[in-house]
Amino acid sequence: MERRVGRTEFNDGALVRLRVPIRVDADSGRDVLTDIDVLAVDVDGRLRISRSILECKSGKGQAGEPDRLLWLAGLQRFLGFGRAVLVRQTVSRRGRNLARALDLRTLDVATLSGRETAHAWMPEKFGHVDGAECMAAEQRTDTQLKGLGHIPPDLIAFLRFDALRAEPHRILRAVASLGRAVDGGGVLPNPTRVVLAGHALIALIAAALTDAGKLDEMTAADLLERTRRALVTGNPDDEQVLSILGRADELVGYSLNRVHEAYQEAGAKRLQIDFPSLKATVASPPGWTTRYIDLVEKLRANPAVGRQMLQTAELAVFEGLVGGQAHQAAAFDHLFTEEHRYLLNVARRCLEDVAGTAVAEALTPALDLNFSRGRAVRGDRDVAPSEADPSEM
């Protein structure tokens, strides 16, 4: 049932993950609070991201229905997701009424089957919707990672699961950390290098889409400043740390000047000694932030394609690059146009700046996939209607 629901959500335009663990800060072995049967990440036309929980239960009858709805309402509030759906074989009238009171949704198997008829042409399994090649690559990666101690397990878990519900600056830090870890341990074996790079790419696109949705309310320059501040302090709105460091620099400068003046009064010659700035040392953002903002702006400039890039990256990497064939299905033609290829390359180049060549080069072959299958979402956006060729109108 999880696969069927995930397949339906993907058809509706969402990036889908099945059986996603929800991790919390706790003692080792107790850090997984629960899991989400189906996580769906939707992006609307203004590049605003929304997330959904879909809880799947195959049991029949009304037993446990109220308890599961109350549990789901609590999980939705804990995660802050906008939509939560309970999927069951049948849903009672009592269950529907309780769901409405809790602002939840319900879906029975009969309704699910009706929705499936609308996308019968879509492959049954693909990518992380239980695609055979993807699952084999992920399992082989787990085996290989046991012998690669230089990549922290928490970092891998974050990129695989937590990044899809994390703030952009946390994602950027994790992607950069992956690059440093890979550089410190040498070239990764396949399929680990493709799998980790793929998760990093999707996380990076998710972060950029989140920030692209903010460009209607702030300028790119403001977003750049907030991104730099968040990477330094951990909070894009926190200016207090930098302010304190600036005051500390003033205090050190004042004290040093007093010492020099005392030496001069005693007849000694003043020496010009430069001292490092605490604020400059701590607040130096990485140089790749401008490249990241460029990715954000390019996604916002083409939202019709940008909103589909999570799905395109998913199919290109976790089908095309791991040896699957489902990405070639006609049902996915609309995700493989030259515009999708262009934005995928922009994201890959940004990944190279953030995480390094050793990570990003594993994804370069994705650009050789067939991106001429679908038509452009819109015509040439640089040509005004009065300048367009009448034969093309």
Side-chain angles (χ1 to χ4, degrees):
M1 186 181 289
E2 293 165 349
R3 177 189 57 78
R4 292 174 62 190
V5 171
R7 177 171 171 264
T8 300
E9 290 292 309
F10 197 96
N11 178 72
D12 291 340
L15 176 71
V16 171
R17 291 287 186 270
L18 307 182
R19 299 172 286 275
V20 178
I22 300 301
R23 304 186 311 128
V24 295
D25 185 14
D27 295 334
S28 178
R30 296 182 178 274
D31 57 340
V32 177
L33 182 65
T34 184
D35 71 302
I36 297 176
D37 290 341
V38 181
L39 168 64
V41 182
D42 287 278
V43 185
D44 70 11
R46 295 184 183 274
L47 301 189
R48 294 170 298 194
I49 291 182
S50 60
R51 298 168 180 85
S52 302
I53 315 166
L54 294 103
E55 177 73 6
C56 302
K57 294 300 174 186
S58 57
K60 297 181 180 180
Q62 299 183 26
E65 186 182 57
D67 290 344
R68 184 50 51 176
L69 284 168
L70 292 169
W71 176 88
L72 184 59
L75 182 61
Q76 179 188 23
R77 181 175 179 180
F78 174 74
L79 296 175
F81 286 5
R83 173 174 169 255
V85 184
L86 178 64
V87 186
R88 290 173 55 90
Q89 290 287 335
T90 59
V91 180
S92 69
R93 184 173 64 180
R94 180 183 65 171
R96 296 187 189 279
N97 291 335
L98 179 58
R100 280 193 293 270
L102 296 172
D103 196 26
L104 303 178
R105 305 291 182 269
T106 57
L107 179 66
D108 58 33
V109 170
T111 305
L112 175 63
S113 299
R115 291 179 62 186
E116 287 178 311
T117 61
H119 55 265
W121 68 334
M122 180 178 288
E124 291 294 323
K125 300 179 180 181
F126 53 87
H128 282 94
V129 185
D130 285 345
E133 291 80 6
C134 177
M135 296 300 99
E138 290 280 13
Q139 291 171 7
R140 179 59 179 161
T141 295
D142 287 337
T143 301
Q144 291 178 341
L145 285 172
K146 293 178 181 178
L148 300 172
H150 61 286
I151 303 181
D154 283 348
L155 174 60
I156 297 168
F158 179 87
L159 292 173
R160 275 177 161 171
F161 308 118
D162 302 342
L164 290 177
R165 57 186 184 90
E167 297 175 321
H169 67 271
R170 291 188 60 208
I171 295 174
L172 293 174
R173 283 181 168 181
V175 173
S177 296
L178 176 64
R180 290 191 294 269
V182 171
D183 288 343
V187 178
L188 297 173
N190 279 324
T192 296
R193 65 194 300 260
V194 171
V195 168
L196 293 187
H199 283 297
L201 177 70
I202 289 177
L204 181 62
I205 293 173
L209 286 169
T210 300
D211 280 335
K214 302 173 183 175
L215 288 182
D216 287 344
E217 58 192 54
M218 68 177 66
T219 66
D222 290 338
L223 180 59
L224 175 61
E225 180 61 27
R226 287 174 57 83
T227 300
R228 287 173 169 170
R229 187 161 56 242
L231 290 171
V232 170
T233 67
N235 184 345
D237 299 311
D238 184 8
E239 298 182 0
Q240 184 175 4
V241 173
L242 299 183
S243 176
I244 292 174
L245 291 174
R247 297 292 296 274
D249 283 338
E250 293 175 2
L251 178 60
V252 171
Y254 172 76
S255 300
L256 186 61
N257 190 56
R258 290 289 302 273
V259 171
H260 281 304
E261 289 177 351
Y263 273 105
Q264 284 181 306
E265 291 174 358
K269 182 179 179 181
R270 177 164 183 156
L271 299 177
Q272 295 298 326
I273 300 176
D274 295 327
F275 68 95
S277 166
L278 293 173
K279 182 176 180 180
T281 301
V282 173
S284 298
W288 45 257
T289 51
T290 52
R291 171 80 77 172
Y292 171 72
I293 298 301
D294 178 66
L295 169 61
V296 171
E297 290 186 291
K298 284 182 167 56
L299 288 170
R300 188 63 188 93
N302 192 355
V305 175
R307 65 185 299 191
Q308 298 174 335
M309 288 309 300
L310 289 174
Q311 288 189 314
T312 297
E314 166 75 7
L315 293 172
V317 176
F318 292 105
E319 268 296 317
L321 294 191
V322 298
Q325 303 298 320
H327 65 289
Q328 299 180 16
F332 301 135
D333 282 353
H334 65 291
L335 299 174
F336 287 85
T337 71
E338 290 298 333
E339 290 183 303
H340 289 87
R341 183 186 185 279
Y342 170 72
L343 286 179
L344 184 66
N345 191 34
V346 173
R348 187 202 62 80
R349 290 171 59 195
C350 182
L351 178 65
E352 184 173 353
D353 275 14
V354 178
T357 303
V359 173
E361 67 180 0
L363 305 180
T364 302
L367 302 175
D368 296 328
L369 299 175
N370 183 7
F371 281 88
S372 300
R373 294 155 45 184
R375 298 181 60 184
V377 176
R378 289 185 291 173
D380 189 347
R381 292 181 299 279
D382 295 327
V383 178
S386 60
E387 302 173 1
D389 186 346
S391 63
E392 297 177 357
M393 298 179 65

